[in-house]
């Protein structure tokens, strides 16, 4: 959910909700002052009340443009340890910095100190608690959410690890956090020239970030190096590449749109997956000589059985990428080159042989050394990552995700 969509949901929820006055946070804490300000323009009375409580004036203000179309993100930092983030002057997040020596956490939440553990916060705040993903505790405060951030790996059981409490409109895990606007790893990858997006410079900046291991290209989308030539060919209405930030985990979505300007968004995983992308045309239709030559050496899609296997080829060699289950929680897949006997059986029996082979791989626990497929699994070898990337690129138009985004 984008931050904008989160704010729209907030105003709907607010109008529908009968407030539960029994919850402790409404009666005993100053959190309602923050909750009521989220989603308001900075000049609205509810926002003014919060800013007045935060301090006479911010002692630090930073701002940056985020994405394209651009949102102006402003951070107001108060000497009281409170930080307010505005998007185009709308209050989107408020943080109580517990480690800021000046913040009086107990003035906002009686019973909460910078040394509070998660259990102590649960008692002090008195609101329903949840977890986003594996390690993000949060509280539901009526129509909005407060994340409790702790240092260390799930450090919430030990005192002294509380970093801060941040109130946002979007349910944690479903959208990006406004405080990631300033992610030191990915906030600077969009390059502008006189206000407009410099597409080539942005592609270079993204490529540098990939080389440095800061961003990881998602091969279910257009390859970064193919973005500009595909767009220039005008064969697709919209070409998009997606890259995941290894630090803040946001997905950078950079799209070039036919007959319109470029778009650059930071998304959570779920919203990034819902972006549209048509099938990518054959490289001969848009690639230069070098790119077409490289494609000769690449793996190519041949056939697949949804949820079970993909057949790909490189020149005359055939490879089966077969899915198998390690446990109820873990799925994996093995890439096996068809040997002479497999190829013969495939010629004779067609797909049904591939289904049979995929079934033996699935049942044969290829992750175990005792499996007959262990040594044949190319994903398990030293160049496993290159094989994975090559298969992902070959099947880009045929994955479950591809069916859903077209
Ligand atoms: Zn980041």
């Amino acid at each position: 959910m984008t931050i904008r969509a989160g704010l729209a949901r907030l105003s709907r929820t607010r109008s529908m909700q009968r407030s539960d006055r029994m919850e402790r946070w409404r009666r005993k804490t100053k959190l309602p002052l923050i909750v009521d300000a989220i989603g308001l323009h900075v000049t609205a009375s509810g926002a003014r009340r919060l800013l007045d409580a935060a301090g006479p004036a911010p002692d630090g203000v930073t701002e940056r443009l985020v994405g394209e179309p651009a949102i102006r993100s402003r951070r107001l930092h108060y000497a009281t340890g409170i930080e307010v983030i505005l998007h185009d002057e709308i209050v989107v997040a408020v943080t109580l910095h517990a480690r800021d020596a000046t913040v009086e956490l107990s003035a906002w939440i009686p019973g909460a100190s910078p040394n509070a553990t998660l259990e102590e916060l649960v008692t002090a705040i008195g609101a329903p608690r949840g977890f986003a993903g594996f390690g993000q505790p949060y509280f539901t405060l009526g129509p909005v959410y407060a994340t409790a951030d702790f240092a260390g790996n799930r450090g919430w059981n030990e005192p002294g690890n509380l970093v801060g409490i941040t109130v946002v409109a979007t349910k944690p895990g479903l959208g990006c956090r406004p405080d990631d606007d300033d992610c030191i790893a990915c906030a600077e990858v969009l390059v502008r020239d006189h206000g407009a997006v410099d597409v080539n410079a942005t592609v270079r900046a993204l490529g540098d970030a990939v080389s440095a291991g800061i961003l990881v290209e998602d091969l279910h989308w257009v390859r970064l190096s193919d973005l500009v030539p595909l767009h220039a060919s005008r064969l697709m209405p919209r070409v998009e590449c997606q890259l995941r930030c290894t630090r803040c985990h946001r997905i950078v979505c950079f799209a070039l749109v036919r007959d319109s300007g470029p778009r650059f968004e930071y998304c959570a995983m779920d919203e990034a997956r819902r972006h549209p992308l048509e099938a990518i045309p054959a490289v001969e239709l848009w690639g230069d000589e070098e790119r077409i030559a490289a494609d000769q050496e690449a793996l190519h899609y041949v056939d697949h059985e949804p949820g079970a296997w993909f057949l790909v080829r490189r020149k005359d060699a055939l490879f089966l990428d077969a899915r198998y289950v390690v446990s109820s929680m873990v799925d994996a897949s093995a890439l096996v080159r068809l040997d002479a006997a497999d190829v013969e059986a495939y010629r004779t029996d067609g797909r049904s042989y591939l289904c049979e082979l995929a079934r033996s791989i699935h049942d044969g626990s290829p992750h175990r050394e005792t499996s007959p497929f262990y040594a044949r699994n190319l994903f398990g070898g030293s160049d496993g990552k290159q094989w994975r990337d090559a298969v992902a690129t070959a099947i880009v138009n045929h994955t479950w995700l591809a069916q859903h985004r077209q």
Side-chain angles (χ1 to χ4, degrees):
M1 190 183 291
T2 59
I3 288 164
R4 208 166 277 167
L7 293 174
R9 183 204 59 86
L10 169 61
S11 74
R12 287 196 301 277
T13 316
R14 272 223 172 96
S15 61
M16 285 160 53
Q17 200 166 50
R18 244 174 350 109
S19 63
D20 181 355
R21 306 243 163 246
M22 296 306 286
E23 287 179 303
R24 176 183 159 85
W25 69 271
R26 291 187 193 273
R27 297 176 288 117
K28 301 283 188 184
T29 76
K30 281 165 71 179
L31 289 170
L33 202 56
I34 298 175
V35 171
D36 291 346
I38 298 285
L40 295 184
H41 193 271
V42 70
T43 56
S45 59
R48 295 295 341 156
R49 272 197 296 280
L50 170 67
L51 298 186
D52 290 345
D59 67 340
V61 178
T62 56
E63 69 173 64
R64 69 162 68 244
L65 290 180
V66 177
E68 177 71 20
I71 291 167
R72 184 171 298 275
S73 171
R74 283 215 297 147
R75 277 179 187 244
L76 317 180
H77 192 272
Y78 288 82
T80 50
I82 293 168
E83 189 169 57
V84 178
I85 302 180
L86 308 171
H87 276 185
D88 291 339
E89 300 305 279
I90 304 288
V91 179
V92 292
V94 179
T95 299
L96 304 173
H97 286 286
R99 286 184 164 182
D100 206 315
T102 53
V103 77
E104 285 184 70
L105 203 56
S106 62
W108 286 84
I109 307 167
S113 77
N115 275 324
T117 62
L118 181 56
E119 278 318 306
E120 286 162 359
L121 274 189
V122 170
T123 307
I125 294 176
R129 181 201 57 192
F131 286 95
F134 289 107
Q136 177 64 75
Y138 68 89
F139 297 92
T140 303
L141 304 180
V144 304
Y145 304 89
T147 60
D149 296 308
F150 289 86
N153 182 25
R154 305 153 75 90
W156 52 70
N157 291 324
E158 300 296 325
N161 284 330
L162 181 63
V163 176
I165 296 170
T166 297
V167 181
V168 292
T170 308
K171 192 171 184 178
L174 295 186
C176 295
R177 295 176 58 129
D179 43 355
D180 284 335
D181 288 350
D182 292 310
C183 173
I184 53 168
C186 68
E188 304 282 353
V189 285
L190 171 57
V191 184
R192 293 178 204 276
D193 181 20
H194 294 90
V197 174
D198 183 331
V199 171
N200 290 317
T202 300
V203 168
R204 278 197 300 277
L206 290 168
D208 290 347
V210 170
S211 304
I214 293 166
L215 297 181
V216 179
E217 240 187 306
D218 185 337
L219 302 177
H220 293 93
W221 297 79
V222 172
R223 300 295 300 260
L224 183 59
S225 53
D226 292 340
L227 192 73
V228 170
L230 259 173
H231 172 64
S233 75
R234 297 183 58 80
L235 292 168
M236 295 176 73
R238 175 189 166 100
V239 289
E240 175 164 341
C241 58
Q242 296 195 354
L243 308 97
R244 179 176 53 84
C245 175
T246 53
R247 186 171 191 280
C248 71
H249 307 298
R250 292 184 300 175
I251 312 291
V252 172
C253 303
F254 187 30
L256 302 181
V257 186
R258 196 166 61 200
D259 305 321
S260 179
R263 295 187 66 89
F264 191 103
E265 268 184 288
Y266 293 92
C267 294
M269 179 76 80
D270 277 3
E271 54 187 327
R273 279 184 172 182
R274 287 197 295 269
H275 287 184
L277 186 73
E278 288 195 337
I280 300 167
V283 66
E284 290 76 12
L285 299 174
W286 54 268
D288 61 16
E289 231 170 81
E290 197 184 333
R291 179 68 179 81
I292 293 169
D295 194 61
Q296 303 284 317
E297 302 300 317
L299 290 177
H300 290 93
Y301 169 86
V302 180
D303 197 359
H304 85 290
E305 177 66 28
W309 53 263
F310 284 93
L311 183 68
V312 293
R313 66 166 177 82
R314 173 179 283 160
K315 299 189 169 149
D316 291 334
L318 291 167
F319 302 85
L320 189 70
D321 175 10
R323 189 175 151 222
Y324 66 91
V325 177
V326 180
S327 69
S328 60
M329 293 287 284
V330 181
D331 256 24
S333 80
L335 183 70
V336 169
R337 180 174 175 165
L338 270 57
D339 62 22
D342 292 324
V343 172
E344 191 49 42
Y346 173 48
R347 291 234 165 84
T348 317
D349 300 337
R351 303 181 91 248
S352 64
Y353 176 72
L354 297 179
C355 290
E356 200 180 297
L357 179 59
R359 170 57 61 181
S360 353
I361 294 171
H362 180 276
D363 295 342
S365 304
H367 56 293
R368 293 187 208 282
E369 280 185 48
T370 49
S371 163
F373 297 105
Y374 180 82
R376 290 181 71 185
N377 180 12
L378 296 165
F379 287 159
S382 56
D383 44 5
K385 181 172 183 321
Q386 281 95 310
W387 281 107
R388 276 187 193 287
D389 288 356
V391 171
T393 304
I395 66 177
V396 65
N397 286 337
H398 305 276
T399 58
W400 176 88
L401 183 62
Q403 310 305 316
H404 282 255
R405 69 192 171 198
Q406 281 171 24

